[in-house]
Amino acid sequence: MPRIRLQTSDRAKRTICVCVDDYGLHAGINQAALNLARENRISAVSCLVDGPAWSSGWKALKANAGKVEVGLHLNFTEDLGHNRILHNLPKLILLTYVHGLSRAVLMQDIRRQLERFEATTGRMPDFVDGHQHVHQLPVIRNALLEVLNDRYGSRKPWLRATHAPEHWPNIRLPFSVKFKSSLIGSLGATALSRLARKHGYSQNRHLLGVYGFDMSERRYLHNLRAWLKNAEHGDVLMCHPSLTGPWSDPLLGARCHEYRVLSGDAFPALAAWAGIEIGTLPTGTAAL
């Protein structure tokens, strides 16, 4: 494990949510999330309910469900054999911006994914986000809020926001990381937060953990240091760890780097140094 030098941090104590994405995609991701949950290193898992390892993964996760929140990772880009709407991300973005998708069909598949989540877990999701952040895109975000309002009424899951930190230019991270984070937020974070405020949904403040999945373990560790140092109370740090997995997983190398860092001694040391507590999203966190 790479070593990192720590100096005294002057930041006040803050609570952030650390969320493992893609749970249910394959067994390596599931096992990584379970291990990290047992060590209290994460506080949420976001689930691909059409994933081949979802049903078996829920049985294992249920024993840890009291420790972590469990949410729906809404999917319209990963081919898992069930969606009526499925496109690669660039095409999906284009179609949403030119209103080339049927809202009725979108709502039908959002309901289907929620029903699959409920049928397996016996309850509603604690939160909803999107695989490749699709939940914030035009048309999709409106369809999602309509389905959630109709389905859950006043029992509202929180919604992941993708806002980059306001003081982003001053954070010591590679330009590519800052650019990708800002680009993701520009695709719908403000519009989704406007809808969330209107309908009374809580959101995280900012999204941390964005990068190009092209970094060494050492570089990921240094990014983690910057994310934790600059985190605000109520932020989400997303991660994609895995112990192992199929070679067909294009993110497998990055996933394994992330797991080694998040399961190692440096992560809790960094969190303590930065004044970070890992927990659930603070109740009533307002949309920005």
Side-chain angles (χ1 to χ4, degrees):
M1 170 64 62
R3 295 182 179 275
I4 191 165
R5 183 176 298 176
L6 297 179
Q7 297 176 348
T8 303
S9 173
D10 58 359
R11 296 300 305 276
K13 184 76 73 176
R14 292 96 67 212
T15 297
I16 69 169
C17 170
V18 180
C19 182
V20 172
D21 286 0
D22 303 338
Y23 193 86
L25 184 60
H26 59 69
I29 296 170
N30 291 1
Q31 192 58 56
L34 293 168
N35 292 353
L36 293 169
R38 293 187 189 106
E39 296 296 323
N40 298 312
R41 304 206 177 190
I42 63 170
S43 51
V45 295
S46 192
C47 305
L48 285 166
V49 295
D50 291 330
W54 161 238
S55 295
S56 60
W58 168 248
K59 294 176 184 177
L61 182 60
K62 191 174 182 180
N64 296 283
K67 295 183 178 181
V68 298
E69 290 189 306
V70 184
L72 174 67
H73 205 45
L74 186 67
N75 172 46
F76 291 116
T77 59
E78 189 83 32
D79 187 2
L80 301 173
H82 297 277
N83 302 67
R84 288 185 61 190
I85 294 178
L86 187 69
H87 301 287
N88 62 46
L89 184 60
K91 184 176 181 180
L92 184 72
I93 292 171
L94 176 63
L95 288 172
T96 60
Y97 272 86
V98 300
H99 295 268
L101 295 175
S102 164
R103 182 163 170 166
V105 176
L106 278 168
M107 290 175 64
Q108 184 178 24
D109 204 74
I110 291 168
R111 290 191 194 97
R112 182 192 65 77
Q113 293 186 50
L114 286 167
E115 288 168 358
R116 195 173 179 94
F117 182 98
E118 294 166 2
T120 305
T121 66
R123 61 182 179 87
M124 64 180 281
D126 295 309
F127 62 93
V128 177
D129 58 34
H131 187 56
Q132 298 186 307
H133 317 290
V134 300
H135 67 298
Q136 68 175 348
L137 295 174
V139 187
I140 294 177
R141 61 183 176 244
N142 299 87
L144 173 62
L145 267 291
E146 187 170 344
V147 171
L148 293 177
N149 288 340
D150 179 65
R151 196 171 193 85
Y152 301 126
S154 61
R155 300 180 303 141
K156 298 180 184 298
W158 60 269
L159 304 175
R160 183 185 289 181
T162 65
H163 301 285
E166 291 92 340
H167 54 297
W168 212 213
N170 300 321
I171 299 177
R172 296 182 62 182
L173 284 167
F175 172 79
S176 61
V177 170
K178 295 180 182 181
F179 177 79
K180 183 175 180 181
S181 181
S182 297
L183 177 62
I184 288 171
S186 73
L187 292 173
T190 299
L192 178 61
S193 289
R194 193 179 300 120
L195 276 175
R197 284 195 304 272
K198 178 180 178 181
H199 294 280
Y201 287 85
S202 295
Q203 287 192 290
N204 55 296
R205 290 186 58 80
H206 308 105
L207 181 63
L208 309 173
V210 175
Y211 71 107
F213 303 109
D214 54 354
M215 294 181 173
S216 67
E217 186 178 335
R218 180 179 295 277
R219 176 51 59 185
Y220 180 79
L221 177 61
H222 281 269
N223 282 4
L224 182 63
R225 182 183 191 271
W227 290 323
L228 294 176
K229 179 181 179 182
N230 293 280
E232 299 290 338
H233 187 67
D235 285 355
V236 164
L237 172 67
M238 70 171 181
C239 55
H240 306 78
S242 183
L243 272 76
T244 184
W247 292 111
S248 57
D249 182 349
L251 305 185
L252 184 58
R255 293 186 193 278
C256 293
H257 290 330
E258 289 190 29
Y259 179 72
R260 285 192 290 269
V261 170
L262 295 172
S263 63
D265 295 336
F267 180 35
L270 281 173
W273 160 79
I276 292 294
E277 292 182 347
I278 298 168
T280 56
L281 187 73
T283 303
T285 302
L288 292 176

